[in-house]
Every structure is written in structure tokens, then in C-alpha cells.
């Protein structure tokens, strides 16, 4: 599945969601999204995060909340927290707001700060970027999945000991360059509240609010060593 986002036009909600889930799936190594009424379903398969519904239609939330009651079920929908919470039963936990964003992708020179080295690792349609400190530790990282003219940036992060040094901008520049070299024109991501300011300074545009809700799943002993639920 490939998708094209027309950067110069206002983003229809359905198109934005399609673009994001199409890239999020290969970035997280989960099966491709399945289209359902009002959005998409992804079989994530992690402890605490078994299945995810990503919706552009708020009207679908109440029905899913009543009929999809297995622990580890997640819903993400393009709507503010207060409107989503009103559609849910008491079984659901509601997360903090997240922010869908888009930005232009272009070829660029990546300037790596002194004391760091960069690794760029393409695997299929996904490119991983890591910045390593002098001791070899990963100081910052990010992935981007190219799905045609659109590419989805994911898992962007900087280690606490290396923050406020511009490493996040370096990672994003490297990811944008790699995606543009593969034909992508528009980037899509979902920002946390902490990441919102960074992406805005890099010229990315916010498109509404994405709210997550889930039914908690008790942690079993054999799940304790497994990766935690993918946000």
C-alpha cells in the first residue's frame, strides 16, 4: 500500500491517518494495516498492546469501546481528549494528547556535532539513524519508513544525558535527507508534547490532536522481559 499526501492542501483526516499507519506498520515491524469503517486496524501483538485501531471518525469510538473489550486493545482517534473520553466506558484508560504533523522532505547536508558519529542503516523501506557518543552509546536515534511520496518518521528520541545539544535536529535532517533520496516529498509523524516544539522549529505543521485510549492488560511473568507497548 502506498499513499500520496498533497502538502499544499489542507489535510483530510482520512488521508492523514492512512499516511501515518501505512508507514508506522513497517517502522514497527507489524503487519500492514487493515482498513475498517472509520479508520484502520493494526495487529501489534505486544504485551499490553495486542491490537490498535487508528480512526479518523470519532463516531466509531463508542461502538468499538463497547464491542472490543479484550485487554490490550487500543484506540487512537483524531479528536481532543475530552471528546474521546465522553465516548468510552470506564474500562478504558485515556492518554495525554499527541500531535499529528507533516513537513517537507528535502536533500540536505548533515552536520554531526563534534564528539558524535552517525550511523545510517537502510533496511528495505525503513531507514534507521543513530548518533553515537564517544563511548559508543546511542545518544539519539530515529527511523523513517518511505511509502511512496510520503515517509513516516518514528521513534525519534535523545538520551537524557545528551539533550539540549541539537541532536534531535541532526537526526531529523538525516532522516529527511534519506527519505528524499528515495523519492519521498512529505513527512508524517505523531509528536509527543515534549517533541512538538522541536518539529515546529524544523518547519513541520500540526494537524489537530490525536488521542489514545486502551484497556490495560495485566503483566504476566513471562511478559515482563518483553518490549513495552508501542505508543
Amino acid at each position: 500500500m502506498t499513499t500520496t499526501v498533497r502538502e499544499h492542501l489542507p489535510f483530510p483526516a482520512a488521508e492523514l491517518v492512512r499516511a501515518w499507519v501505512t508507514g508506522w506498520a513497517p517502522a514497527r515491524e507489524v503487519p500492514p494495516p487493515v482498513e475498517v469503517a472509520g479508520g484502520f486496524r493494526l495487529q501489534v501483538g505486544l504485551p499490553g498492546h495486542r491490537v490498535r485501531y487508528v480512526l479518523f471518525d470519532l463516531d466509531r469510538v463508542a461502538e468499538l469501546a463497547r464491542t472490543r473489550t479484550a485487554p490490550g486493545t487500543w484506540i487512537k482517534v483524531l479528536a481532543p481528549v475530552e471528546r474521546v473520553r465522553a465516548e468510552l466506558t470506564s474500562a478504558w484508560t485515556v492518554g495525554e494528547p499527541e500531535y499529528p504533523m507533516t513537513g517537507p522532505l528535502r536533500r540536505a547536508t548533515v552536520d554531526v556535532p563534534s564528539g558524535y558519529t552517525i550511523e545510517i542503516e537502510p533496511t528495505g523501506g525503513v531507514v534507521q539513524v543513530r548518533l553515537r557518543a564517544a563511548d559508543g552509546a546511542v545518544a539519539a536515534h530515529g527511523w523513517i519508513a518511505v511509502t511512496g511520496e510520503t515517509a513516516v518518521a518514528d521513534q525519534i528520541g535523545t538520551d537524557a544525558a545528551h539533550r539540549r545539544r541539537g541532536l534531535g535536529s541532526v537526526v531529523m535532517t538525516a532522516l529527511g535527507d534519506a527519505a528524499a533520496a528515495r523519492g519521498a516529498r512529505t513527512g508524517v509523524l505523531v509528536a509527543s508534547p515534549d517533541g512538538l516544539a522541536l518539529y515546529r522549529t524544523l518547519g513541520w505543521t500540526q494537524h489537530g490532536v490525536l488521542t489514545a485510549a486502551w484497556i490495560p492488560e495485566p503483566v504476566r511473568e513471562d511478559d515482563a522481559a518483553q518490549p513495552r507497548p508501542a505508543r
Side-chain angles (χ1 to χ4, degrees), residues 24 44-52 72-74 76 217 229-231:
W24 189 91
V44 180
L46 290 176
H49 198 153
R50 304 296 177 177
V51 62
R52 165 187 291 203
T73 300
W74 282 61
K76 287 199 171 192
E217 179 180 9
R231 297 277 171 170

Side-chain angles (χ1 to χ4, degrees), residues 32-122:
V34 175
E35 194 160 359
V36 297
F40 298 85
R41 183 181 72 247
L42 295 112
Q43 203 68 36
V44 180
L46 290 176
H49 198 153
R50 304 296 177 177
V51 62
R52 165 187 291 203
Y53 293 87
V54 184
L55 307 174
F56 53 83
D57 186 355
L58 180 65
D59 293 340
R60 290 281 293 137
V61 172
E63 178 189 352
L64 285 176
R66 291 194 310 268
T67 60
R68 305 296 190 270
T69 57
T73 300
W74 282 61
I75 295 173
K76 287 199 171 192
V77 59
L78 278 173
V81 170
E82 59 273 13
R83 294 190 63 192
V84 175
R85 185 177 284 115
E87 303 295 323
L88 300 170
T89 68
S90 60
W92 293 80
T93 297
V94 180
E96 62 184 1
E98 299 172 298
Y99 304 98
M101 305 186 80
T102 60
L105 301 173
R106 57 178 64 93
R107 300 303 309 270
T109 300
V110 182
D111 295 321
V112 180
S114 177
Y116 295 93
T117 57
I118 190 167
E119 298 174 352
I120 300 176
E121 180 184 345

Side-chain angles (χ1 to χ4, degrees), residues 13-231:
E15 190 174 357
L16 181 61
V17 168
R18 179 185 296 274
W20 183 51
V21 299
T22 299
W24 189 91
R28 298 297 181 108
E29 298 183 315
V30 303
V34 175
E35 194 160 359
V36 297
F40 298 85
R41 183 181 72 247
L42 295 112
Q43 203 68 36
V44 180
L46 290 176
H49 198 153
R50 304 296 177 177
V51 62
R52 165 187 291 203
Y53 293 87
V54 184
L55 307 174
F56 53 83
D57 186 355
L58 180 65
D59 293 340
R60 290 281 293 137
V61 172
E63 178 189 352
L64 285 176
R66 291 194 310 268
T67 60
R68 305 296 190 270
T69 57
T73 300
W74 282 61
I75 295 173
K76 287 199 171 192
V77 59
L78 278 173
V81 170
E82 59 273 13
R83 294 190 63 192
V84 175
R85 185 177 284 115
E87 303 295 323
L88 300 170
T89 68
S90 60
W92 293 80
T93 297
V94 180
E96 62 184 1
E98 299 172 298
Y99 304 98
M101 305 186 80
T102 60
L105 301 173
R106 57 178 64 93
R107 300 303 309 270
T109 300
V110 182
D111 295 321
V112 180
S114 177
Y116 295 93
T117 57
I118 190 167
E119 298 174 352
I120 300 176
E121 180 184 345
T123 304
V126 179
V127 179
Q128 300 184 40
V129 170
R130 303 179 192 87
L131 288 177
R132 291 192 182 273
D135 62 0
V138 176
H141 56 82
W143 296 9
I144 197 161
V146 178
T147 58
E149 291 189 6
T150 301
V152 174
D154 188 40
Q155 303 198 86
I156 314 299
T158 301
D159 183 82
H162 298 273
R163 290 176 183 164
R164 301 188 182 278
R165 301 180 189 181
L167 301 188
S169 295
V170 175
V171 168
M172 290 300 295
T173 299
L175 292 174
D177 176 71
R182 289 160 175 78
R185 297 174 52 203
T186 302
V188 179
L189 59 77
V190 173
S192 67
D194 290 340
L196 186 60
L198 167 64
Y199 303 125
R200 282 177 172 165
T201 63
L202 296 175
W204 289 60
T205 301
Q206 179 186 338
H207 300 275
V209 177
L210 187 75
T211 298
W214 63 93
I215 300 178
E217 179 180 9
V219 178
R220 305 189 307 266
E221 287 187 11
D222 57 347
D223 286 338
Q226 297 298 316
R228 299 316 306 147
R231 297 277 171 170

